[in-house]
Amino acid sequence: MALRIYFCGSVRGGRQDQPIYKKIIDYLSTMGEVHAGKHIEPEDHETYADDKAIHDRDMVWLEVFADVVVAEVTQPSLGVGYELGRAVAMNKKVLCLFRPSSGRPLSALIRGGDNSKDFCVVDYSEDQLELKLKEYFEKYMV
């Protein structure tokens, strides 16, 4: 069975990282089946969608269709924090990707949760994105 990957990143909190999300999703798609609909749709795709429907769909994807969660956490997002908390409660493996070049500090609750096993935080630059993803999956998802 193919590896099932749930990707999350900021949507309503700021979509300026959309091109980076696409790069991440494209690479993850070579590793397995990716659930990340809201990040690959046109910008206004979910404008008219019901919030409860989005929540319920994403929680099913997270619970049923995720062996691992990959989160881009550079852009602060309450939704991503919620998804990460739920993933931890479900005992999912989690990889958080953060770009220090953004000039933003990463939340202590995310950085401090790194246990280098089930919950990992990896700093990256855009030019090392694929390498960092490859290293994580080779080390933790074998």
Side-chain angles (χ1 to χ4, degrees), residues 7-8 12-13 18 22 26 28 39 52 54 60 64 93 107 114 116 124 130 134-135 138:
F7 174 78
C8 54
R12 292 183 181 173
Q18 187 77 11
K22 183 171 179 351
D26 288 348
L28 293 175
H39 299 288
K52 178 149 179 46
I54 294 167
V60 167
V64 178
K93 288 190 177 286
S107 167
D114 187 333
S116 297
Y124 76 101
E130 288 186 9
K134 181 177 186 254
E135 288 174 349
E138 286 176 352

Side-chain angles (χ1 to χ4, degrees), residues 25-39:
I25 292 165
D26 288 348
Y27 184 81
L28 293 175
S29 295
T30 69
M31 309 289 295
E33 177 185 344
V34 180
H35 292 272
K38 64 187 177 187
H39 299 288

Side-chain angles (χ1 to χ4, degrees), residues 20 22-31 95 97 122-138:
I20 295 169
K22 183 171 179 351
K23 287 180 190 174
I24 294 169
I25 292 165
D26 288 348
Y27 184 81
L28 293 175
S29 295
T30 69
M31 309 289 295
L95 168 62
L97 298 167
V122 173
D123 290 345
Y124 76 101
S125 60
E126 286 187 62
D127 63 321
Q128 19 171 244
L129 176 61
E130 288 186 9
L131 174 64
K132 296 292 186 175
L133 287 167
K134 181 177 186 254
E135 288 174 349
Y136 172 83
F137 280 92
E138 286 176 352

Side-chain angles (χ1 to χ4, degrees), residues 74-120:
T74 304
Q75 175 66 37
S77 167
L78 294 171
V80 172
Y82 179 83
E83 289 169 310
L84 292 175
R86 295 292 298 261
V88 168
M90 293 176 194
N91 296 312
K92 303 289 182 178
K93 288 190 177 286
V94 174
L95 168 62
C96 295
L97 298 167
F98 179 73
R99 288 186 330 279
S101 64
S102 70
R104 295 182 190 96
L106 180 58
S107 167
L109 290 175
I110 302 299
R111 175 88 58 201
D114 187 333
N115 64 15
S116 297
K117 185 180 174 207
D118 299 320
F119 191 97
C120 297

Side-chain angles (χ1 to χ4, degrees), residues 35-48:
H35 292 272
K38 64 187 177 187
H39 299 288
I40 56 175
E41 298 294 338
E43 202 167 315
D44 62 349
H45 174 72
E46 290 187 340
T47 302
Y48 304 105

